[in-house]
């Protein structure tokens, strides 16, 4: 679970460059192990998210990319809960995103007076999340009986149903969608929701229920036989996952400013899948990494036009061959592990040192 | 009253009758063995007791409460825990988490408390992490607490499976071939170990085993299954002399 700091291979001849690398690695390890830095990073990040747009520290385009990175981190982390931690294969994440996007867009374009939109925006995003969570709760029911490929088909069907239902409701624009949505997704709000998603999902994973979720991935029958109420745990995981997919959808709608059913098709779900498997299953660090790398790569490769659509899947194929669990599969960066969970490790080390009589060096 | 009572339990897989008219009365504190050739239906009996399969016919009761029709986690919560013939640990999780998962019903906090790590979360996690460490220490597994279960040596994996089962707080422990893959010396240690945990955790134990040495050594009573049917039961000495049992085993030997 914990990122290991094994020294790099010793077979390479010790050169100046190598020594330098070692020094950097040690420095990095010290930073990685100092968990007190984490809150500082969060505070600095939040202040920056306010200052950057205020003083135009980077141009509009870069700000937009950062917002997309945030939204993608929320999507990836929440899908990882199902596909990585629980080991199911949900391919309909865009369906939940659509629910969040539409619920929130209906609030801001149709229900709320224009001058209040910005003030109520956090509540609107919350409503989008809750709408998606309720649907997620429904979708979790087939997962009680169905597993693997069959559940994947259920989620696929769900994604298609959401799309066609929206297409057939004229009040919300039908296939034409909802245009003219106010641009309410700002950098600070994106930062806030991204951090919230990461921390809440992290908390869930490192709890009784989260351990139950992981036990289902390892061996569902054995976890049932060890007393884990698998239905309850699945329901919680699906609801939480879809809640944050809905939040991401709401943020997405209010940055894109136009949504239509076509935006939330299987291709969008596939994008999220690629980010999950790129970053690594069962890892929040991996989700952050996967979402960031993928979003940036898409932008960098933009000049290649259509070739981009060949290069990205190719990258995924290579990844699956050489690193099937993704960059960070089942490993976690220390900052993201709750302090208490490192306790067992500390306890064990302390005891070992006492019993061997070797002083801590 | 018997702790566990099975009456006329019968189970079919399609047309195959894997267990037929199985009866058992287990008194508190007993150590009973089930033996029989390969495919006799022993593991199926365990799967029926623990709710993995729903018995086609018959009734199984724990302290007078019907088990047939309940979900495995409900049955576990009532006080039955088991190990598996082929080790089924949570391989990619730590030894610590393997045990903490089995405390699932012990930990008392709500989903909201888990999402925000507030309220009872901290105190409960601390309590059960300490319990898990104590249990691991008891089983001489504490030095592996942070190791992934799949990286443990075979013998330790077997012990961890028993530790994990005990974390669920059972009254009745079901062991499915605990001596599989062990050499005579290890079997000797295992026999002492089983008697010791029975005393320490005041357990009733039902075990399946092929190793006659273990079964004859520690079981107080034996049941012999063959092709799903109970062909003999009684004291180990009686079973050893029973011609039907010899035939079942020799017959199997002759086929091979
Ligand atoms: N899920 C299943 N579906 C169909 N048949 C099964 C199933 N499980 C077991 N069987 C069959 O039921 C019979 C009894 O199997 P069981 O596993 O209970 O035997 P066993 O006594 O535990 O044997 P062993 O000593 O080899 O472990 C066998 O013929 C087996 O093939
Ligand atoms: Mg068996």
């Amino acid at each position: 679970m914990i990122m290991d700091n094994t020294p790099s291979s010793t077979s390479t001849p010790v050169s100046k460059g190598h020594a330098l690398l070692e020094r950097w690695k040690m420095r990095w390890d010290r930073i990685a192990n100092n968990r007190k830095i984490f809150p500082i990073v969060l505070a600095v990040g939040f202040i920056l998210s306010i200052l950057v747009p205020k003083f135009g520290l980077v141009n509009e385009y870069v700000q937009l990319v950062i917002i997309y990175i945030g939204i993608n981190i929320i999507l990836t982390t929440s899908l990882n809960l199902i596909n990585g931690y629980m080991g199911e294969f949900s391919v309909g994440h865009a369906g939940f995103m659509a629910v969040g996007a539409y619920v929130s867009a209906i609030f801001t374009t149709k229900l709320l007076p224009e001058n209040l939109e910005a003030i109520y925006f956090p509540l609107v995003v919350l409503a989008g999340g809750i709408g998606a969570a309720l649907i997620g709760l429904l979708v979790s029911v087939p997962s009680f009986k169905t597993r693997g490929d069959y559940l994947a088909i259920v989620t696929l069907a769900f994604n298609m149903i959401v799309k066609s239902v929206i297409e057939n409701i004229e009040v919300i624009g039908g296939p034409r969608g909802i245009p003219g949505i106010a641009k309410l997704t700002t950098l600070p709000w994106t930062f806030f929701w991204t951090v919230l998603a990461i921390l809440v999902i992290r908390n869930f994973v490192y709890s009784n229920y989260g351990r139950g979720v992981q036990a289902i991935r390892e061996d569902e029958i054995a976890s049932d036989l060890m007393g884990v109420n698998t239905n309850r745990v699945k329901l919680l995981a699906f609801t939480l996952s879809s809640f944050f997919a809905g939040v991401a959808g709401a943020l997405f709608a209010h940055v894109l400013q136009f949504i239509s059913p076509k935006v939330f098709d299987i291709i969008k779900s596939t994008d999220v899948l690629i980010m999950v498997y790129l970053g690594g299953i069962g890892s929040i660090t991996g989700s952050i990494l996967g979402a960031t790398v993928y979003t940036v790569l898409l932008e960098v490769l933009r000049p290649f036009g259509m070739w981009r659509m060949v290069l990205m899947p190719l990258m995924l194929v290579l990844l699956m061959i050489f690193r099937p669990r993704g960059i960070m599969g089942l490993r976690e960066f220390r900052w993201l592990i709750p302090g208490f969970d490192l306790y067992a490790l500390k306890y064990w080390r302390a005891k070992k040192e006492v019993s061997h009589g070797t002083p801590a060096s | 009253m018997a702790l566990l009572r099975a009456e006329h339990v019968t189970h079919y897989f399609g047309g195959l009758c894997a267990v037929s008219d199985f009866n058992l009365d287990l008194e508190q504190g007993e150590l009973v063995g089930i033996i029989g050739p390969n495919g006799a239906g022993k593991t199926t009996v365990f799967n029926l007791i623990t709710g993995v399969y729903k018995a086609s016919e018959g009734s199984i009761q724990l302290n007078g409460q019907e088990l047939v029709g309940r979900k495995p986690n409900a049955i576990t919560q009532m006080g039955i825990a088991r190990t598996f013939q082929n080790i089924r640990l949570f391989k990619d999780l730590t030894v610590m988490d393997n045990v903490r998962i089995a405390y699932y019903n012990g930990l008392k906090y709500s989903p909201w408390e888990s999402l925000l790590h507030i309220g009872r979360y901290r105190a409960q996690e601390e309590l059960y992490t300490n319990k898990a460490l104590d249990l691991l220490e008891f089983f001489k597994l504490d030095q592996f607490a942070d190791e992934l279960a799949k990286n443990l040596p075979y013998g330790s994996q077997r012990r961890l499976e028993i530790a994990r089962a005990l974390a669920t707080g059972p009254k009745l422990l079901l062991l499915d071939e605990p001596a599989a893959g062990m050499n005579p010396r290890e079997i000797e240690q295992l026999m002492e170990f089983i008697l010791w945990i029975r005393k320490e955790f005041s357990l009733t134990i039902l075990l399946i085993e092929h190793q006659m040495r273990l079964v004859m050594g520690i079981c107080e009573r034996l049941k012999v299954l063959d092709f799903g049917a109970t062909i003999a039961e009684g004291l180990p000495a009686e079973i050893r002399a029973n011609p039907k049992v010899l035939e079942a085993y020799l017959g199997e030997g002759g086929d091979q």
Side-chain angles (χ1 to χ4, degrees):
Chain A
M1 294 287 284
I2 296 160
M3 196 161 121
D4 42 43
N5 305 320
T6 41
S8 53
S9 150
T10 47
S11 60
T12 44
V14 182
S15 63
K16 228 181 187 148
H18 189 258
L20 196 70
L21 202 76
E22 278 298 296
R23 189 126 35 95
W24 275 107
K25 206 169 156 16
M26 264 169 64
R27 221 170 266 174
W28 168 246
D29 285 348
R30 213 171 306 145
I31 294 169
N33 285 328
N34 190 346
R35 300 166 41 79
K36 291 195 194 85
I37 300 175
F38 187 47
I40 299 172
V41 169
L42 285 186
V44 170
F46 188 63
I47 292 168
L48 272 180
S49 77
I50 296 171
L51 293 184
V52 163
K54 192 154 197 166
F55 297 105
L57 297 181
V58 296
N59 65 35
E60 291 274 325
Y61 167 70
V62 175
Q63 287 184 32
L64 197 68
V65 174
I66 295 173
I67 288 177
Y68 280 127
I69 290 175
I71 293 172
N72 283 339
I73 288 175
I74 301 174
L75 286 171
T76 309
T77 313
S78 57
L79 183 63
N80 211 333
L81 188 56
I82 304 300
N83 289 33
Y85 288 100
M86 198 156 88
E88 284 297 353
F89 195 67
S90 166
V91 294
H93 216 48
F96 300 114
M97 207 185 159
V99 176
Y102 268 86
V103 169
S104 62
I106 290 166
F107 269 109
T108 50
T109 57
K110 301 205 154 64
L111 301 177
L112 289 172
E114 211 163 307
N115 52 341
L116 289 179
E117 278 172 353
I119 299 165
Y120 282 110
F121 186 56
L123 291 178
V124 166
V125 175
L126 191 68
I130 292 172
L134 292 176
I135 303 291
L137 201 135
L138 282 181
V139 173
S140 78
V141 175
S143 81
F144 296 168
K145 293 264 176 222
T146 318
R147 282 216 64 149
D149 303 350
Y150 298 101
L151 190 63
I153 291 168
V154 169
T155 58
L156 182 72
F158 158 74
N159 200 158
M160 287 152 79
I161 291 169
V162 169
K163 196 169 162 253
S164 9
V165 166
I166 296 173
E167 271 169 359
N168 285 297
I169 303 177
E170 269 307 315
V171 210
I172 53 170
R176 282 165 286 109
I178 304 179
I181 304 170
K183 188 169 185 292
L184 298 172
T185 303
T186 58
L187 214 48
W189 276 127
T190 309
F191 188 83
F192 168 80
W193 285 106
T194 308
V195 170
L196 190 79
I198 291 171
L199 289 183
V200 167
I201 292 172
R202 189 285 306 262
N203 283 355
F204 182 74
V205 166
Y206 288 94
S207 80
N208 200 23
Y209 304 103
R211 284 193 294 267
V213 167
Q214 296 176 72
I216 290 174
R217 175 191 67 215
E218 295 296 314
D219 189 331
E220 183 167 355
I221 293 175
S223 61
D224 201 349
L225 285 165
M226 292 307 131
V228 176
N229 187 339
T230 49
N231 287 356
R232 181 172 158 86
V233 161
K234 283 177 184 173
L235 188 140
L236 288 172
F238 268 100
T239 309
L240 183 61
S241 168
S242 45
F243 172 81
F244 279 111
V247 164
L251 295 173
F252 187 67
H254 291 83
V255 64
L256 202 65
Q257 294 177 269
F258 163 74
I259 52 170
S260 72
K262 242 186 30 223
V263 177
F264 305 102
D265 59 4
I266 310 296
I267 309 274
K268 186 79 205 170
S269 295
T270 315
D271 270 347
V272 189
L273 281 173
I274 294 178
M275 290 187 272
V276 168
Y277 291 96
L278 172 69
I281 56 157
S283 166
I284 290 164
T285 318
S287 299
I288 298 170
L289 215 63
T292 310
V293 170
Y294 186 75
T295 315
V296 171
L297 266 183
L298 270 187
E299 292 307 317
V300 171
L301 295 178
R302 205 173 273 284
F304 291 85
M306 271 316 289
W307 281 104
R308 198 167 63 142
M309 290 305 150
V310 178
L311 281 172
M312 297 304 287
L314 192 68
M315 190 178 75
L316 191 69
V317 170
L318 291 177
L319 192 81
M320 286 296 108
I321 294 170
F322 294 108
R323 214 169 167 137
R325 279 176 171 179
I327 302 170
M328 287 293 293
L330 295 186
R331 292 185 307 160
E332 203 65 90
F333 191 53
R334 255 166 209 270
W335 289 2
L336 283 167
I337 301 173
F340 176 69
D341 238 78
L342 292 169
Y343 170 80
L345 180 70
K346 263 191 226 142
Y347 176 93
W348 160 66
R349 282 208 177 129
K351 269 192 72 163
K352 212 173 159 192
E353 271 157 16
V354 168
S355 63
H356 288 272
T358 47
S361 55
Chain B
M1 188 175 60
L3 178 71
L4 184 86
R5 166 166 292 170
E7 288 171 316
H8 310 297
V9 175
T10 300
H11 192 68
Y12 296 94
F13 289 115
L16 175 85
C17 185
V19 175
S20 80
D21 198 20
F22 180 81
N23 293 282
L24 177 70
D25 260 341
L26 261 184
E27 296 300 329
Q28 174 74 41
E30 266 193 310
L31 204 171
V32 173
I34 299 179
I35 62 171
N38 287 105
K42 307 180 296 292
T43 300
T44 306
V45 168
F46 274 19
N47 284 333
L48 293 173
I49 295 174
T50 53
V52 176
Y53 302 134
K54 186 169 179 286
S56 311
E57 288 162 32
S59 141
I60 307 170
Q61 292 155 18
L62 184 75
N63 282 325
Q65 280 184 291
E66 184 61 49
L67 299 182
V68 176
R70 285 183 204 255
K71 279 188 51 106
N73 64 64
I75 293 173
T76 303
Q77 222 176 333
M78 289 168 70
I80 300 181
R82 69 177 284 184
T83 64
F84 302 90
Q85 186 169 350
N86 318 305
I87 301 177
R88 288 178 83 162
L89 289 168
F90 306 123
K91 292 196 191 69
D92 271 312
L93 298 179
T94 61
V95 168
M96 180 70 181
D97 278 345
N98 267 270
V99 174
R100 284 198 295 193
I101 284 163
Y103 280 125
Y104 178 87
N105 287 304
L107 281 132
K108 292 277 181 277
Y109 56 81
S110 68
W112 291 111
E113 288 167 308
S114 84
L115 294 181
L116 302 174
H117 282 190
I118 51 166
R120 289 169 290 179
Y121 169 83
R122 180 63 194 252
Q124 287 280 301
E125 283 291 322
E126 210 158 313
L127 178 67
Y128 279 91
T129 301
N130 281 323
K131 278 194 186 194
L133 280 166
D134 286 345
L135 192 66
L136 288 176
E137 198 176 338
F138 198 79
F139 282 76
K140 299 202 167 49
L141 287 166
D142 54 327
Q143 73 269 31
F144 299 123
D146 208 59
E147 213 60 70
L148 295 185
K150 66 176 175 190
N151 295 337
L152 254 56
Y154 179 80
S156 306
Q157 291 196 15
R158 283 250 169 233
R159 254 183 301 145
L160 176 57
E161 254 210 337
I162 298 178
R164 183 180 68 168
L166 291 178
T168 66
K171 297 176 207 128
L172 171 63
L173 180 65
L174 310 178
L175 300 170
D176 197 344
E177 303 201 18
M182 290 188 175
N183 63 37
R185 228 192 86 236
E186 288 167 331
I187 291 175
E188 211 64 48
Q189 289 170 352
L190 179 70
M191 285 162 64
E192 273 173 44
F193 179 70
I194 291 173
L195 293 174
W196 178 62
I197 58 168
R198 171 168 71 156
K199 206 173 92 222
E200 289 289 330
F201 295 86
S202 21
L203 296 167
T204 306
I205 296 176
L206 182 62
L207 66 84
I208 294 173
E209 195 42 79
H210 278 297
Q211 300 290 338
M212 282 309 138
R213 180 195 181 85
L214 184 140
V215 176
M216 296 296 168
I218 60 172
C219 291
E220 289 149 3
R221 230 163 18 104
L222 291 179
K223 279 187 93 71
V224 189
L225 296 187
D226 192 19
F227 293 112
T230 308
I231 55 165
E233 56 182 305
L235 301 173
E238 295 168 4
I239 297 296
R240 207 198 303 260
N242 189 316
K244 269 203 211 154
V245 177
L246 288 173
E247 193 187 323
Y249 272 93
L250 288 176
E252 189 201 27
D255 287 344
Q256 281 168 354

